[in-house]
Amino acid sequence: MTSTSNSATEQFAERLSATTLLRFATAGSVDDGKSTLVGRLLHDSKSVLTDQLEAVEHASRSRGQEAPDLALLTDGLRAEREQGITIDVAYRYFATPRRRFILADTPGHVQYTRNMVTGASTAELAVVLVDARNGVVEQTRRHAAVAALLRVPHVVLAVNKMDLVGYAEPVFAAIAKEFTAYAASLGVPGWGSGGNPQENWCTAIPISALAGDNVVEPSAHMDWYGGPTVLEYLETVPVSHDLADCPARFPVQYVIRPQSAEHPDYRGYAGQIASGVLRVGDPVTVLPSGRTSTIEGIDALGVGVDAATTVDLAWAPQSVTVRLADDIDISRGDLIAPTAQLPGTTQDVEATVCHVADRPLTVGQRVLLKHTTRTVKAIVKDIPSRLTLDDLSQHPAPGQLVANDIGRVKVRTAEPLALDSYADSRHTGSFLLIDPADGTTLSAGMAGDAFADAATAPDASPAADDEGWDF
């Protein structure tokens, strides 16, 4: 490697570390104040454009409100504004000098569980709101269970509407204690990104979203609380991209063969690194074929002055082109991984899925399974159980899963998949089940066990009819 490439790599790493990105989601029961919290967060952090604020003020006056209703900054659907609830997942992008944020404001209703799963699936932190007057309710436990199921590394318990309980410390302390006890029953304190330990999975913060207490600025009414505000915690919580903790995984998206006069023999494999670090000289294996080679070069776009620069290492979530020392038959959907840290390959996938489609998922159903950049035919061989999030009970052999159901499935694929456990990698342990007829997403899947203390579900299901899909 030349000094120029090393210098470019160092400069890129310095720019990357200067401002990090945090993806987080909000969740809570109806009227707990999710949209108000998000609106207050955007407003007080000066992340709202003037025309947006004017539109909110106009809409608030038309509804007879003197002060602007900050919830309208995120409740964008007409049905949401008319009913005063959140229905769809609303994404907002904002930044402070310390960090960039992608926020997913998710619904709180039971019938929109699939929307919360969508919003929290890529989140590194979940903000679970609780009304201080009501404490931990059924929906609070459901949202905590979903966050645990999705292995969200950090959770903020935002005890809202403290102004309506006189900013009483005992009220906050009782709610925080109850929520922490429930989290312990899930077996999740200590889960972190990539399955690595975290000292505190949950952090409780007393707030009043309407008045702005402890959202961006510290509250003058709760001198008994000495912890961070919501924004301060969001700016300082550790964000991990699995650089050191997870083995490298590189799903191939595209094979580059220019065959031009300038590059007659160039063969590169382009894609986004899902986890870990790739280094020139590393011995790697291509899955599912099992062929081996060595990384000869890594080309990164926009690292230096030139359009593309050769670097000696790259890490998640960079998009790069990898060149190997040997000419191997590689195509879209293959996975390049370190030879010493290979994922298992299997055609029999056992997973927990959240069913997101209106049509049910049934035993014997023929589907497409999309894992990273690979899509293969599959058959649902069994649905051993359905999970009730309220009490974490398992209902054996439900026969099918309907919209918003979460359950265990067994799927047989036509071709081997290089699949990690979701507990080890949220990127290469997740997949989608797709209707082959029209491309509709049916279920979002997480390979392996659901919770840390999940019991083995009963296996008593009739064999599926595999006619026409013989594998």
Side-chain angles (χ1 to χ4, degrees):
M1 283 298 123
T2 66
S3 60
T4 302
S5 66
N6 288 331
S7 176
T9 302
E10 293 171 1
Q11 292 173 11
F12 182 79
E14 185 176 342
R15 290 202 304 269
L16 184 67
S17 61
T19 171
T20 55
L21 172 67
L22 175 71
R23 298 174 181 268
F24 71 101
T26 60
S29 302
V30 179
D31 295 330
D32 275 354
K34 296 182 305 300
S35 298
T36 302
L37 171 62
V38 173
R40 174 63 66 183
L41 194 60
L42 296 175
H43 179 271
D44 289 6
S45 63
K46 306 297 188 293
S47 301
V48 181
L49 299 176
T50 303
D51 58 341
Q52 291 177 311
L53 186 58
E54 290 176 350
V56 168
E57 291 173 345
H58 175 74
S60 300
R61 285 194 300 271
S62 66
R63 297 170 60 177
Q65 297 173 308
E66 295 183 3
D69 184 356
L70 298 179
L72 298 180
L73 287 170
T74 55
D75 285 341
L77 299 179
R78 175 173 294 182
E80 293 179 325
R81 295 192 174 193
E82 289 175 350
Q83 300 179 48
I85 62 173
T86 300
I87 296 175
D88 200 6
V89 180
Y91 290 94
R92 292 293 180 269
Y93 307 86
F94 69 102
T96 67
R98 304 179 69 176
R99 181 167 280 177
R100 294 171 291 123
F101 301 95
I102 298 178
L103 182 157
D105 185 24
T106 66
H109 289 65
V110 178
Q111 62 266 38
Y112 301 127
T113 298
R114 55 186 173 182
N115 300 63
M116 183 195 170
V117 170
T118 300
S121 61
T122 58
E124 293 153 315
L125 181 145
V127 179
V128 178
L129 269 78
V130 172
D131 189 325
R133 299 169 300 175
N134 302 327
V136 176
V137 296
E138 179 181 305
Q139 275 295 83
T140 309
R141 291 189 290 270
R142 180 177 290 108
H143 294 144
V146 170
L149 186 67
L150 294 172
R151 259 70 173 188
V152 178
H154 305 277
V155 168
V156 171
L157 175 66
V159 182
N160 193 22
K161 304 187 181 182
M162 288 296 296
D163 54 316
L164 300 182
V165 294
Y167 298 102
E169 181 181 6
V171 174
F172 168 73
I175 294 172
K177 181 178 180 181
E178 183 179 355
F179 185 87
T180 302
Y182 180 74
S185 72
L186 298 174
V188 294
W191 283 357
S193 180
N196 293 298
Q198 296 286 342
E199 291 184 2
N200 296 306
W201 183 66
C202 174
T203 298
I205 303 176
I207 68 169
S208 170
L210 187 63
D213 292 291
N214 285 338
V215 178
V216 173
E217 300 295 335
S219 172
H221 302 98
M222 291 180 278
D223 54 3
W224 46 265
Y225 173 73
T229 65
V230 173
L231 181 61
E232 183 182 353
Y233 186 79
L234 294 177
E235 287 181 324
T236 57
V237 66
V239 176
S240 171
H241 291 297
D242 298 339
L243 299 185
D245 301 329
C246 288
R249 300 288 184 259
F250 184 69
V252 176
Q253 294 182 357
Y254 188 71
V255 179
I256 299 178
R257 294 284 317 273
Q259 295 181 308
S260 62
E262 299 177 26
H263 304 283
D265 300 317
Y266 186 94
R267 183 194 295 263
Y269 309 102
Q272 183 180 45
I273 303 175
S275 62
V277 179
L278 294 177
R279 296 178 177 84
V280 172
D282 282 353
V284 294
T285 299
V286 180
L287 298 172
S289 68
R291 299 288 300 275
T292 60
S293 185
T294 303
I295 296 180
E296 185 178 59
I298 302 173
D299 299 325
L301 180 64
V303 173
V305 178
D306 300 329
T309 304
T310 298
V311 296
D312 54 357
L313 61 90
W315 53 85
Q318 282 182 268
S319 294
V320 297
T321 300
V322 173
R323 291 178 281 114
L324 301 182
D326 305 284
D327 289 339
I328 300 177
D329 183 12
I330 299 176
S331 59
R332 174 181 171 86
D334 288 342
L335 183 76
I336 298 176
T339 301
Q341 296 176 303
L342 294 178
T345 57
T346 183
Q347 288 182 256
D348 296 297
V349 179
E350 296 187 26
T352 300
V353 303
C354 175
H355 193 64
V356 300
D358 291 327
R359 70 193 74 168
L361 183 73
T362 58
V363 175
Q365 188 169 345
R366 300 170 183 180
V367 296
L368 296 177
L369 190 152
K370 185 180 188 304
H371 172 250
T372 63
T373 58
R374 187 176 185 83
T375 302
V376 299
K377 292 181 178 180
I379 292 178
V380 180
K381 302 290 288 186
D382 190 12
I383 303 178
S385 63
R386 177 175 54 83
L387 176 68
T388 299
L389 289 177
D390 303 341
D391 56 7
L392 303 183
S393 61
Q394 298 277 354
H395 296 262
Q400 65 176 15
L401 297 177
V402 299
N404 297 304
D405 276 353
I406 294 177
R408 297 288 296 171
V409 299
K410 294 183 179 180
V411 178
R412 172 77 174 177
T413 61
E415 304 169 29
L417 291 177
L419 193 67
D420 287 299
S421 168
Y422 188 80
D424 296 328
S425 173
R426 298 174 73 195
H427 301 282
T428 53
S430 59
F431 60 86
L432 296 176
L433 297 182
I434 299 171
D435 190 328
D438 57 12
T440 300
T441 298
L442 300 173
S443 302
M446 295 152 280
D449 289 333
F451 299 104
D453 56 354
T456 303
D459 183 7
S461 134
D465 178 10
D466 296 353
E467 182 180 355
W469 292 48
D470 185 14
F471 45 81

